Amino acid sequence: MTQNLLRPVALVTGASRGIGRAIAARLAPTHDLVLTARDAARLGDVAASCEAAGARVRTMAVDVRDGAAAGAAFAGLEIDVLVNNAGVAVLTPFLELTPDEWHRQVDVNVHALYHVTRAVLPGMVQRGRGHVCIIGSTAGRNTFVGGSCYAGTKHFVMGFAESLMLEVRDAGVGVSVITPGSVATELFPEGTNTAWMLEPENVADAVLFAVTTPPHMLVHRLEVRPLSPKRPRDSF
């Protein structure tokens, strides 16, 4: 990808589906894109649609849980906007949660956040500009049965984001965390009623708003929710 100097460059993790795909599509008219996920074929489909919307796109099939791989892939890239979107959820009571399910959530929701941010942030600080946007969850301030690990990782996101914001704001780098309520994605088990939930595009709208505010203004926390679980989207 050759960088268009007139357009900022955004790196979106978990960009092959769901919220990440919607974010890529929403940013494509105004940003060039670096899109990463593990599924190269799906990334190719997303890239094609984003290029049709005007973006120059580079895809990178990277497992962001792998710190060495993430560091090698992203270090040195001139990224203006980092959207840490990659995430997984296993909504199971603690005594039914397997070690693999526990570690997978921590690896993606916590460790990958460190790996990617650590690779990209030094360049932002050096250039004196940039924006780190993290997709959190209302589970980052609430709890529920089956959320011992997932909610724990999202509480971590909230603490990480606010601490990082305080550390880098004087260098001209903003940090935002978008906290959606329930979103109709593949994270929910088959058969779940998602007709009342937010759509991925609603979260993408929030991301675009957060990363395109004036340079002197920071939207640090932005919570978006479905209006009511008793009102399906198509009833409005």
Side-chain angles (χ1 to χ4, degrees), residues 62-86:
V62 179
D63 186 345
V64 291
R65 297 174 299 179
D66 184 333
F74 306 133
L77 294 181
E78 290 195 11
I79 301 299
D80 300 291
V81 175
L82 167 60
V83 184
N84 279 305
N85 164 73

Side-chain angles (χ1 to χ4, degrees), residues 6-23:
L6 298 179
R7 291 164 60 100
V9 177
L11 167 59
V12 183
T13 68
S16 63
R17 59 185 180 178
I19 293 173
R21 181 172 188 144
I23 292 169

Side-chain angles (χ1 to χ4, degrees), residues 33-163:
L33 299 170
V34 178
L35 305 179
T36 185
R38 289 185 296 169
D39 191 324
R42 282 192 174 188
L43 276 179
D45 292 340
V46 178
S49 63
C50 290
E51 287 169 344
R56 297 184 183 185
V57 182
R58 178 177 179 179
T59 61
M60 307 179 77
V62 179
D63 186 345
V64 291
R65 297 174 299 179
D66 184 333
F74 306 133
L77 294 181
E78 290 195 11
I79 301 299
D80 300 291
V81 175
L82 167 60
V83 184
N84 279 305
N85 164 73
V88 295
V90 181
L91 308 182
T92 302
F94 177 76
L95 291 179
E96 300 173 17
L97 198 64
T98 68
D100 178 70
E101 291 168 337
W102 177 277
H103 289 293
R104 181 158 55 93
Q105 290 179 91
V106 173
D107 284 343
V108 177
N109 299 352
V110 175
H111 295 155
L113 175 60
Y114 168 81
H115 296 320
V116 179
T117 305
R118 189 63 182 81
V120 171
L121 185 61
M124 292 183 176
V125 170
Q126 183 178 25
R127 292 187 296 275
R129 67 182 188 278
H131 203 123
V132 177
C133 186
I134 305 167
I135 306 303
S137 169
T138 54
R141 64 180 185 83
N142 301 321
T143 57
F144 54 90
V145 172
S148 58
C149 185
Y150 177 74
T153 65
K154 293 304 181 180
H155 276 69
F156 170 87
V157 165
M158 300 301 282
F160 170 79
E162 187 162 357
S163 296

Side-chain angles (χ1 to χ4, degrees), residues 137-218:
S137 169
T138 54
R141 64 180 185 83
N142 301 321
T143 57
F144 54 90
V145 172
S148 58
C149 185
Y150 177 74
T153 65
K154 293 304 181 180
H155 276 69
F156 170 87
V157 165
M158 300 301 282
F160 170 79
E162 187 162 357
S163 296
L164 188 65
M165 179 268 291
L166 296 173
E167 292 179 14
V168 300
R169 61 182 178 177
D170 290 342
V173 179
V175 178
S176 299
V177 57
I178 311 299
T179 58
S182 298
V183 185
T185 69
E186 296 176 3
L187 290 180
F188 286 94
E190 185 176 353
T192 301
N193 175 21
T194 61
W196 59 275
M197 296 181 182
L198 294 171
E199 295 179 291
E201 291 75 15
N202 304 139
V203 183
D205 287 339
V207 170
L208 181 63
F209 174 70
V211 303
T212 56
T213 55
H216 68 281
M217 172 185 171
L218 175 65

